[in-house]
Amino acid sequence: MKRYALRILALTGMVMGLLSGCMFRSVDELYAIPQPSKDYEALQRRLSEVIGQGGEYAAPLSGELIQAVQLQDLDSDGNQEAIAFFRFPNEEKPLRIYIFTQRGEEYEAMTVIEHAGTAIDSVDYVQMDDSPLREIVVSWQISDRVRSLTAYAIGPGVAEELLRTDYVSYRLADLDQDNQQELVVFRTPVEGVPQAELYDFREELAMVGTAPLSGGITQVVDGGVRTGYLTGRVPALFAVSTYGENGSITDIFTCQNGELRNVTLDEETGESGETVRFYTQAAERDINGDGIMELPQPIPVMEYRLTGETVSFWLIHWRQFDTEGNPSHVFTTYHNERDGWYFILPDHWGSRVTMSRSDLPGGGERSVTFSYWEGDEAVEPKPFLTIYRLTGSSRVARANQGQRFLLADDEEDVLYAAEFRDGWDCGLTQEEAQERFYRIRTDWYNGN
């Protein structure tokens, strides 16, 4: 409420300022091209000087910060430094990061970071110790397959290198809840055990612990390491790796009593067997919005008169984990990736559900039907619920056809509707079915 009130006051002030200014301006002033601030002009002069020396902008390729010029308060003085990313072709160390600090209305070069490589992959600005200065963590792309990770302490005229290592993935997170960021680096050496390495500031930035990844992995998935919470609000890292043939496995890491642990690793098998899955459309995410990360456990749906070896339908059991790697069930969903929706199944449906789909010619109506089936091939399943995806100019009329009812409002020219069938009483009302229906958003597959 306080933030909302501040926004209203700020907006009111802006509007009043605009009105008062416009009421007393000439026509020429009203239509004049806006002039850049002196700060902007000063910074632009410094950037132009770098370009004049042969530099070209080389923005980071990935991560949340991908601008060629970024503003960050690195020394906690309330003023933002300007960080600019350049490439100098044909130089021995072609990649350079210029850090400019503001002095009055001018910008001065604070320091320059140079590195060999083909591109700057990513950058993070983090608080890793108790000093007011923030550290900079940079991933450099050395070649198509090789990347180098460095961490720097920045000061006037100096960029002290605190760490340099090769890696396949990394993540910054406050795992020990000390209000400072730790760095976890994932490595899969050609010879040796794939492992996670914990780097923390204890007088200096150093590796303070390691924990193995699952032994059966092929590679840590690019971008597959995420932060989240276990039950009890314990911070953790969730590292997804390729496993076997077309499978994946998730290792969960925590920092407890200063020690990095893979809490899901089975010491006998050397793998996190509880998190292996071969249906990989679903990704880790906080699917129920309670602040705890859920992991998907796909289960094949039994099929009536199976015609092939490929599984047509999967149910997903969503589970949370505790600090000992023990799972607890949250709920079960069916995800229809093709049609863009998922549905939370009531627990009392159990394993007595089978499914079928029907697509009308032209693609304007696609549907999935849930049926009750005990598994006896001699007894046909009893359909009890059909969910429709409707498109085209007649979608509204078809959504109201017969006993159908809307599940979601019209969005992007798509309607979703449902219809209860007479085969079995599934125990849901229309309102309960609507509450259990969700669209799959574009960020669903990567778990955001």
Side-chain angles (χ1 to χ4, degrees):
M1 180 62 73
K2 182 178 180 181
R3 181 179 296 178
Y4 177 76
L6 289 173
R7 288 180 178 175
I8 292 296
L9 288 172
L11 181 61
T12 302
M14 291 172 61
V15 172
M16 293 302 295
L18 288 171
L19 288 176
S20 61
C22 291
M23 290 173 64
F24 299 101
R25 291 182 183 177
S26 67
V27 173
D28 290 340
E29 289 177 320
L30 288 173
Y31 289 96
I33 297 174
Q35 298 300 309
S37 68
K38 292 182 179 180
D39 293 348
Y40 173 84
E41 290 178 340
L43 177 58
Q44 192 60 48
R45 285 195 297 271
R46 296 292 172 262
L47 298 175
S48 296
E49 290 173 359
V50 178
I51 293 173
Q53 296 167 8
E56 58 186 30
Y57 287 119
L61 301 178
S62 63
E64 296 181 359
L65 301 169
I66 57 173
Q67 301 82 12
V69 180
Q70 303 174 13
L71 299 177
Q72 296 283 332
D73 184 4
L74 298 178
D75 54 9
S76 303
D77 66 350
N79 296 318
Q80 291 185 317
E81 281 68 47
I83 303 96
F85 302 85
F86 288 94
R87 179 190 296 106
F88 284 76
N90 304 319
E91 295 283 342
E92 182 180 355
K93 294 182 178 180
L95 302 174
R96 298 182 189 177
I97 302 175
Y98 283 75
I99 302 175
F100 300 95
T101 187
Q102 191 173 8
R103 304 295 184 192
E105 294 182 353
E106 291 296 324
Y107 274 91
E108 300 176 359
M110 182 177 179
T111 190
V112 180
I113 299 172
E114 299 182 355
H115 205 282
T118 60
I120 299 168
D121 190 68
S122 65
V123 63
D124 292 278
Y125 310 97
V126 294
Q127 195 73 49
M128 301 186 75
D129 60 8
D130 56 5
S131 81
L133 299 176
R134 297 167 71 188
E135 286 69 42
I136 299 180
V137 178
V138 186
S139 166
W140 310 91
Q141 189 176 91
I142 308 304
S143 66
D144 290 342
R145 296 185 178 183
V146 178
R147 290 178 293 182
S148 175
L149 189 69
T150 54
Y152 302 91
I154 304 300
V158 65
E160 180 187 357
E161 186 175 294
L162 304 173
L163 166 72
R164 180 191 293 249
T165 183
D166 62 300
Y167 76 103
V168 295
S169 189
Y170 77 93
R171 198 73 180 187
L172 290 150
D174 183 11
L175 291 179
D176 58 8
Q177 298 178 293
D178 63 351
N179 296 319
Q180 297 169 10
Q181 299 286 297
E182 290 79 51
L183 171 65
V184 179
V185 176
F186 296 87
R187 301 180 65 246
T188 55
V190 176
E191 296 182 3
V193 178
Q195 67 180 16
E197 301 172 349
L198 175 65
Y199 292 83
D200 195 10
F201 252 107
R202 298 178 185 177
E203 296 185 355
E204 63 179 5
L205 183 61
M207 186 173 68
V208 297
T210 64
L213 287 152
S214 288
I217 70 169
T218 307
Q219 185 63 278
V220 178
V221 173
D222 190 22
V225 180
R226 303 190 57 229
T227 58
Y229 290 94
L230 303 177
T231 54
R233 298 288 296 179
V234 176
L237 292 182
F238 300 79
V240 181
S241 303
T242 54
Y243 177 84
E245 185 176 352
N246 302 320
S248 69
I249 191 169
T250 302
D251 291 300
I252 302 177
F253 295 89
T254 64
C255 182
Q256 302 176 45
N257 300 319
E259 178 185 359
L260 186 68
R261 291 184 57 216
N262 183 341
V263 301
T264 48
L265 193 74
D266 186 322
E267 294 184 359
E268 293 185 3
T269 65
E271 299 179 355
S272 295
E274 278 286 350
T275 67
V276 174
R277 60 184 186 271
F278 291 93
Y279 171 85
T280 57
Q281 294 289 340
E284 291 78 3
R285 70 186 301 240
D286 178 15
I287 193 169
N288 63 349
D290 66 349
I292 309 300
M293 185 75 80
E294 281 82 37
L295 272 64
Q297 182 188 39
I299 303 296
V301 176
M302 59 180 184
E303 295 187 48
Y304 177 66
R305 295 179 180 174
L306 184 66
T307 58
E309 296 182 357
T310 303
V311 176
S312 300
F313 298 94
W314 297 80
L315 297 181
I316 300 177
H317 295 332
W318 292 94
R319 301 185 300 166
Q320 300 175 348
F321 284 78
D322 64 18
T323 56
E324 297 304 316
N326 300 312
S328 58
H329 179 76
V330 176
F331 53 55
T332 299
T333 62
Y334 165 68
H335 284 76
N336 186 336
E337 296 85 14
R338 180 185 177 192
D339 294 344
W341 58 268
Y342 72 91
F343 190 80
I344 301 174
L345 278 64
D347 290 338
H348 71 268
W349 286 10
S351 60
R352 297 169 294 178
V353 173
T354 187
M355 284 176 273
S356 61
R357 70 172 300 127
S358 175
D359 298 346
L360 294 184
E365 179 173 310
R366 303 205 296 255
S367 65
V368 169
T369 296
F370 296 83
S371 299
Y372 176 88
W373 187 46
E374 293 284 2
D376 186 349
E377 290 287 346
V379 180
E380 291 189 2
K382 300 176 181 179
F384 61 84
L385 175 65
T386 299
I387 295 178
Y388 302 90
R389 180 186 188 272
L390 305 170
T391 58
S393 58
S394 63
R395 62 186 180 278
V396 175
R398 282 183 282 127
N400 293 286
Q401 178 180 316
Q403 300 299 313
R404 297 179 184 181
F405 56 94
L406 278 178
L407 289 173
D409 294 333
D410 202 348
E411 184 177 308
E412 299 179 350
D413 298 326
V414 178
L415 276 177
Y416 293 96
E419 179 182 15
F420 290 123
R421 311 289 289 275
D422 296 331
W424 181 62
D425 182 5
C426 66
L428 295 180
T429 64
Q430 290 188 11
E431 291 75 15
E432 289 169 337
Q434 291 166 340
E435 291 172 356
R436 291 173 176 273
F437 178 87
Y438 293 86
R439 295 176 184 267
I440 295 177
R441 303 299 179 182
T442 55
D443 64 350
W444 191 89
Y445 295 106
N446 58 30
N448 294 330

PDB file of all heavy atoms in Angstrom, residues 251-264:
ATOM      1  N   ASP A 251      19.996 -32.650  -9.447  1.00  0.00           N
ATOM      2  CA  ASP A 251      20.718 -32.690  -8.177  1.00  0.00           C
ATOM      3  C   ASP A 251      20.386 -31.425  -7.403  1.00  0.00           C
ATOM      4  O   ASP A 251      20.417 -30.316  -7.945  1.00  0.00           O
ATOM      5  CB  ASP A 251      22.226 -32.765  -8.418  1.00  0.00           C
ATOM      6  CG  ASP A 251      22.651 -34.099  -9.012  1.00  0.00           C
ATOM      7  OD1 ASP A 251      22.419 -35.129  -8.360  1.00  0.00           O
ATOM      8  OD2 ASP A 251      23.203 -34.106 -10.133  1.00  0.00           O
ATOM      9  N   ILE A 252      20.082 -31.579  -6.109  1.00  0.00           N
ATOM     10  CA  ILE A 252      19.710 -30.449  -5.263  1.00  0.00           C
ATOM     11  C   ILE A 252      20.828 -30.199  -4.257  1.00  0.00           C
ATOM     12  O   ILE A 252      21.202 -31.092  -3.497  1.00  0.00           O
ATOM     13  CB  ILE A 252      18.381 -30.705  -4.530  1.00  0.00           C
ATOM     14  CG1 ILE A 252      17.260 -30.991  -5.542  1.00  0.00           C
ATOM     15  CG2 ILE A 252      18.013 -29.506  -3.666  1.00  0.00           C
ATOM     16  CD1 ILE A 252      15.927 -31.318  -4.901  1.00  0.00           C
ATOM     17  N   PHE A 253      21.340 -28.953  -4.254  1.00  0.00           N
ATOM     18  CA  PHE A 253      22.470 -28.598  -3.403  1.00  0.00           C
ATOM     19  C   PHE A 253      22.053 -27.568  -2.359  1.00  0.00           C
ATOM     20  O   PHE A 253      21.335 -26.615  -2.653  1.00  0.00           O
ATOM     21  CB  PHE A 253      23.617 -28.019  -4.237  1.00  0.00           C
ATOM     22  CG  PHE A 253      24.217 -29.010  -5.201  1.00  0.00           C
ATOM     23  CD1 PHE A 253      23.709 -29.144  -6.488  1.00  0.00           C
ATOM     24  CD2 PHE A 253      25.278 -29.816  -4.815  1.00  0.00           C
ATOM     25  CE1 PHE A 253      24.256 -30.046  -7.384  1.00  0.00           C
ATOM     26  CE2 PHE A 253      25.832 -30.732  -5.702  1.00  0.00           C
ATOM     27  CZ  PHE A 253      25.312 -30.851  -6.986  1.00  0.00           C
ATOM     28  N   THR A 254      22.528 -27.767  -1.130  1.00  0.00           N
ATOM     29  CA  THR A 254      22.336 -26.802  -0.059  1.00  0.00           C
ATOM     30  C   THR A 254      23.686 -26.537   0.612  1.00  0.00           C
ATOM     31  O   THR A 254      24.651 -27.288   0.417  1.00  0.00           O
ATOM     32  CB  THR A 254      21.354 -27.305   1.015  1.00  0.00           C
ATOM     33  OG1 THR A 254      21.917 -28.472   1.660  1.00  0.00           O
ATOM     34  CG2 THR A 254      20.013 -27.657   0.408  1.00  0.00           C
ATOM     35  N   CYS A 255      23.724 -25.477   1.394  1.00  0.00           N
ATOM     36  CA  CYS A 255      24.895 -25.194   2.220  1.00  0.00           C
ATOM     37  C   CYS A 255      24.454 -25.235   3.667  1.00  0.00           C
ATOM     38  O   CYS A 255      23.732 -24.343   4.131  1.00  0.00           O
ATOM     39  CB  CYS A 255      25.479 -23.828   1.868  1.00  0.00           C
ATOM     40  SG  CYS A 255      26.972 -23.412   2.790  1.00  0.00           S
ATOM     41  N   GLN A 256      24.841 -26.274   4.372  1.00  0.00           N
ATOM     42  CA  GLN A 256      24.437 -26.465   5.762  1.00  0.00           C
ATOM     43  C   GLN A 256      25.676 -26.561   6.640  1.00  0.00           C
ATOM     44  O   GLN A 256      26.563 -27.379   6.386  1.00  0.00           O
ATOM     45  CB  GLN A 256      23.592 -27.741   5.889  1.00  0.00           C
ATOM     46  CG  GLN A 256      22.335 -27.732   5.017  1.00  0.00           C
ATOM     47  CD  GLN A 256      21.580 -29.045   5.082  1.00  0.00           C
ATOM     48  OE1 GLN A 256      21.383 -29.603   6.157  1.00  0.00           O
ATOM     49  NE2 GLN A 256      21.144 -29.554   3.934  1.00  0.00           N
ATOM     50  N   ASN A 257      25.722 -25.687   7.666  1.00  0.00           N
ATOM     51  CA  ASN A 257      26.879 -25.612   8.556  1.00  0.00           C
ATOM     52  C   ASN A 257      28.168 -25.375   7.778  1.00  0.00           C
ATOM     53  O   ASN A 257      29.220 -25.930   8.091  1.00  0.00           O
ATOM     54  CB  ASN A 257      26.990 -26.891   9.390  1.00  0.00           C
ATOM     55  CG  ASN A 257      25.769 -27.135  10.260  1.00  0.00           C
ATOM     56  OD1 ASN A 257      25.231 -26.209  10.856  1.00  0.00           O
ATOM     57  ND2 ASN A 257      25.319 -28.381  10.311  1.00  0.00           N
ATOM     58  N   GLY A 258      28.057 -24.537   6.746  1.00  0.00           N
ATOM     59  CA  GLY A 258      29.220 -24.201   5.938  1.00  0.00           C
ATOM     60  C   GLY A 258      29.632 -25.265   4.949  1.00  0.00           C
ATOM     61  O   GLY A 258      30.653 -25.118   4.271  1.00  0.00           O
ATOM     62  N   GLU A 259      28.870 -26.350   4.843  1.00  0.00           N
ATOM     63  CA  GLU A 259      29.232 -27.481   3.973  1.00  0.00           C
ATOM     64  C   GLU A 259      28.265 -27.571   2.808  1.00  0.00           C
ATOM     65  O   GLU A 259      27.041 -27.507   2.982  1.00  0.00           O
ATOM     66  CB  GLU A 259      29.202 -28.779   4.776  1.00  0.00           C
ATOM     67  CG  GLU A 259      29.520 -30.021   3.948  1.00  0.00           C
ATOM     68  CD  GLU A 259      29.364 -31.309   4.736  1.00  0.00           C
ATOM     69  OE1 GLU A 259      29.028 -31.226   5.934  1.00  0.00           O
ATOM     70  OE2 GLU A 259      29.564 -32.383   4.154  1.00  0.00           O
ATOM     71  N   LEU A 260      28.808 -27.721   1.602  1.00  0.00           N
ATOM     72  CA  LEU A 260      27.986 -27.922   0.414  1.00  0.00           C
ATOM     73  C   LEU A 260      27.566 -29.378   0.337  1.00  0.00           C
ATOM     74  O   LEU A 260      28.403 -30.283   0.439  1.00  0.00           O
ATOM     75  CB  LEU A 260      28.772 -27.536  -0.840  1.00  0.00           C
ATOM     76  CG  LEU A 260      27.984 -27.567  -2.152  1.00  0.00           C
ATOM     77  CD1 LEU A 260      26.920 -26.471  -2.172  1.00  0.00           C
ATOM     78  CD2 LEU A 260      28.931 -27.418  -3.352  1.00  0.00           C
ATOM     79  N   ARG A 261      26.252 -29.625   0.177  1.00  0.00           N
ATOM     80  CA  ARG A 261      25.735 -30.992   0.135  1.00  0.00           C
ATOM     81  C   ARG A 261      24.822 -31.189  -1.065  1.00  0.00           C
ATOM     82  O   ARG A 261      24.048 -30.290  -1.428  1.00  0.00           O
ATOM     83  CB  ARG A 261      24.928 -31.314   1.396  1.00  0.00           C
ATOM     84  CG  ARG A 261      25.719 -31.423   2.684  1.00  0.00           C
ATOM     85  CD  ARG A 261      24.782 -31.841   3.805  1.00  0.00           C
ATOM     86  NE  ARG A 261      24.108 -33.102   3.494  1.00  0.00           N
ATOM     87  CZ  ARG A 261      22.843 -33.390   3.836  1.00  0.00           C
ATOM     88  NH1 ARG A 261      22.115 -32.505   4.494  1.00  0.00           N
ATOM     89  NH2 ARG A 261      22.320 -34.554   3.538  1.00  0.00           N
ATOM     90  N   ASN A 262      24.916 -32.361  -1.679  1.00  0.00           N
ATOM     91  CA  ASN A 262      23.929 -32.804  -2.659  1.00  0.00           C
ATOM     92  C   ASN A 262      22.927 -33.657  -1.897  1.00  0.00           C
ATOM     93  O   ASN A 262      23.172 -34.833  -1.614  1.00  0.00           O
ATOM     94  CB  ASN A 262      24.609 -33.605  -3.766  1.00  0.00           C
ATOM     95  CG  ASN A 262      23.634 -34.036  -4.855  1.00  0.00           C
ATOM     96  OD1 ASN A 262      22.428 -34.052  -4.660  1.00  0.00           O
ATOM     97  ND2 ASN A 262      24.177 -34.401  -6.006  1.00  0.00           N
ATOM     98  N   VAL A 263      21.785 -33.062  -1.536  1.00  0.00           N
ATOM     99  CA  VAL A 263      20.878 -33.721  -0.593  1.00  0.00           C
ATOM    100  C   VAL A 263      20.109 -34.866  -1.232  1.00  0.00           C
ATOM    101  O   VAL A 263      19.567 -35.727  -0.510  1.00  0.00           O
ATOM    102  CB  VAL A 263      19.897 -32.703   0.031  1.00  0.00           C
ATOM    103  CG1 VAL A 263      20.657 -31.602   0.761  1.00  0.00           C
ATOM    104  CG2 VAL A 263      18.956 -32.112  -1.026  1.00  0.00           C
ATOM    105  N   THR A 264      20.015 -34.900  -2.554  1.00  0.00           N
ATOM    106  CA  THR A 264      19.257 -35.969  -3.213  1.00  0.00           C
ATOM    107  C   THR A 264      20.141 -37.132  -3.659  1.00  0.00           C
ATOM    108  O   THR A 264      19.625 -38.136  -4.161  1.00  0.00           O
ATOM    109  CB  THR A 264      18.498 -35.415  -4.433  1.00  0.00           C
ATOM    110  OG1 THR A 264      19.390 -34.610  -5.228  1.00  0.00           O
ATOM    111  CG2 THR A 264      17.311 -34.573  -4.001  1.00  0.00           C
TER     112      THR A 264
END
